[in-house]
């Protein structure tokens, strides 16, 4: 598949979004096409096409916005070895 005459601003936006999601531009566009055009009941492909942030947002939504309690970190006794 080849798409010609794509506006430079669109290419730049795709490049930035791909970088945010840790993917190449090709992988980012492939994920977008999969999320957009695959049937909603194809959950495996739909989940695969998510970015990490989308997956986290989806899990939070599935848990009805559950609040996560993050405990305070305790000081650790750690000695650096002599080198």
């Amino acid at each position: 598949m080849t798409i010609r005459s794509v506006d430079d601003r669109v290419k730049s936006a795709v490049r930035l979004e791909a970088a945010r999601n840790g993917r190449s531009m090709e992988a980012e566009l492939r994920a977008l096409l999969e999320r957009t055009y695959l049937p909603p009941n194809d959950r495996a492909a739909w989940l695969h096409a998510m970015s990490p942030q989308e997956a986290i947002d989806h899990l939070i939504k599935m848990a009805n916005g559950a609040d996560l309690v993050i405990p305070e970190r305790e000081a650790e006794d750690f000695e650096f070895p002599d080198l």
Side-chain angles (χ1 to χ4, degrees):
M1 174 186 298
T2 301
I3 302 173
R4 292 181 176 81
S5 302
V6 176
D7 188 293
D8 287 340
R9 295 172 297 175
V10 172
K11 286 191 251 184
S12 180
V14 171
R15 187 176 293 113
L16 290 172
E17 188 66 18
R20 274 193 287 274
N21 294 327
R23 298 192 269 229
S24 66
M25 287 178 63
E26 179 180 345
E28 186 66 29
L29 290 169
R30 187 180 310 111
L32 175 64
L33 290 169
E34 289 171 357
R35 284 193 312 270
T36 303
Y37 294 107
L38 282 176
N41 58 354
D42 192 348
R43 300 221 10 107
W46 185 70
L47 291 170
H48 175 75
M50 287 182 167
S51 70
Q53 185 61 53
E54 289 168 331
I56 290 168
D57 292 343
H58 177 70
L59 290 173
I60 291 170
K61 183 179 176 184
M62 297 278 299
N64 293 321
D67 292 324
L68 299 177
V69 178
I70 301 174
E72 293 284 328
R73 288 188 71 169
E74 297 179 15
E76 298 177 16
D77 291 330
F78 183 82
E79 294 183 28
F80 290 98
D82 293 329
L83 299 177

